[in-house]
Each structure stands twice: as C-alpha cells, then as structure tokens.
Amino acid sequence: FHMSEMRKGLRAIWRHVQPFKRKLVILVVLGVASAITNGFVPYVTGRFFDTLIQLSQGKYTLATSTLPLWSVLLGIWVLIQLIANNVDWVMDRLNRRVDTEVHFNIQVQGFSHLLRAPLKYHKNVHINGALHKISTTGWRVSAIIRTVTNVAPQFLSIVIGIILAASINYFLASILVVGVLLYVVLLIKILSPI
C-alpha cells in the first residue's frame, strides 16, 4: 500500500464529499463542542464530590456570598450534561443524514455514468460487477466519513481529559496517557490485516 495510492484514495473521497462541505463543517464544530463538554463532565463531577466530602467533614465552601459551591457545581454539571447530550443527538442525526446522502450521491453518479456510457462499453463490461463496485464504493466512503466523525470527537475528549488530569496531578495524567496508548496499540493490532 503506497503513499501515492493513499493520496489518490483521499482525493477520490474528497471529490465525493465536497458537495457536503457545509454539513461536514457543522459536524466538525459540533464534534469540538461535544469533545469539550464530554471532556469536562468527569472534572466537574470530581469537583462536585470533593465539595460534598468537604461538606461532610464540616468544611462549608461558598461559591458566592449566599450560594454553596456544591449547588453551583451541580448546576454546571446539569448544564454541561444537557449541552453534551443535545449536541451528541444533533451530531448523530446530521451524521446519519450525511452518511445516507454521500452513499446515495455516489450511487446516483455511478448509475448516471453507466447510463451515459456508449453501447460498446456495456458490451465489454459485466454490468453486475459495475453495479457492485458502485454500491461498495458508496458504502465504503460513507463508512469512512462516519468513522472519522464519530472517532475524532472521542479522541479530542480524551485529550481534554488528559489535560484536565494533568492540571490536577501529573502522575494521574501519565497513567491515563499510558492507558490510551495501550488501547490504541491493541486497536491497531486487532484491526490490522493479518
């Protein structure tokens, strides 16, 4: 598998994805918002429980002159969860729509190419094989887009989580980094062809 073949493949994917640039940009923005909110959920949850532990030990911390810190953190947690869940829901809907539209667009382009092809072309080409190639191409390109738009925000969430962990404790962050690296290595070994 050469680099030139990979570039050729990426150019072909880009050609099929270009009509959906606007929706993909929206997906990227939503993905970043999802990663940030999902990355902050464990941090806020941890701070909330720390405050509850301090409260049980008789330490009463105030966020403002009247509001206790635990209630503010609970409110922030609810707000972040609402944003994260709604963003993820919108992303999922848009992702499915783009996925379907890309798949059908590739099939329409393929079928229209076959219909415009001269009769001589149809004499030399096995039509069933050509239809199978069109269908497979549509499925593969949409699967690549779906994978990228699903996995990228999750990795960004992990990066944000590691940064937040490093701001609390470097040793904890290093354990998370080692865990993520082991996960990636195992994933590559499992997914790589034998």
Side-chain angles (χ1 to χ4, degrees):
F1 196 68
H2 296 285
M3 205 61 174
S4 61
E5 287 176 17
M6 192 171 165
R7 272 197 293 269
K8 192 176 166 186
L10 287 171
R11 273 198 298 269
I13 290 169
W14 177 246
R15 192 174 63 245
H16 292 301
V17 165
Q18 240 179 342
F20 309 98
K21 257 195 308 192
R22 191 169 162 271
K23 287 177 183 169
L24 287 170
V25 167
I26 293 168
L27 271 172
V28 167
V29 171
L30 288 173
V32 170
S34 170
I36 291 169
T37 51
N38 285 312
F40 268 94
V41 166
Y43 177 76
V44 174
T45 306
R47 289 293 310 273
F48 173 71
F49 283 114
D50 288 346
T51 309
L52 288 182
I53 290 166
Q54 287 175 352
L55 189 65
S56 71
Q57 293 170 347
K59 298 172 189 164
Y60 191 71
T61 46
L62 292 171
T64 63
S65 56
T66 53
L67 276 174
L69 183 60
W70 67 266
S71 65
V72 171
L73 287 169
L74 183 62
I76 291 169
W77 181 84
V78 168
L79 182 68
I80 288 175
Q81 283 287 25
L82 278 170
I83 292 168
N85 291 340
N86 283 308
V87 165
D88 288 347
W89 182 79
V90 170
M91 254 187 86
D92 181 57
R93 299 276 302 208
L94 187 58
N95 212 348
R96 287 174 196 234
R97 192 169 170 186
V98 169
D99 181 33
T100 307
E101 286 176 4
V102 166
H103 191 131
F104 284 136
N105 189 45
I106 290 170
Q107 288 191 333
V108 166
Q109 285 178 1
F111 292 144
S112 63
H113 173 75
L114 285 176
L115 290 171
R116 282 195 307 266
L119 203 56
K120 190 170 86 172
Y121 171 83
H122 290 285
K123 283 180 182 175
N124 299 328
V125 172
H126 192 269
I127 197 71
N128 207 15
L131 292 173
H132 179 70
K133 272 186 184 176
I134 291 167
S135 180
T136 304
T137 303
W139 178 83
R140 283 185 178 164
V141 170
S142 63
I144 289 167
I145 294 164
R146 185 171 56 249
T147 303
V148 169
T149 53
N150 284 336
V151 171
Q154 291 172 9
F155 272 107
L156 188 55
S157 279
I158 291 167
V159 169
I160 290 166
I162 290 169
I163 291 167
L164 288 171
S167 72
I168 298 165
N169 185 319
Y170 283 117
F171 181 69
L172 175 68
S174 64
I175 291 170
L176 285 173
V177 169
V178 169
V180 169
L181 290 174
L182 280 172
Y183 175 76
V184 169
V185 167
L186 284 170
L187 199 65
I188 290 168
K189 283 199 177 247
I190 291 166
L191 295 177
S192 63
I194 298 166

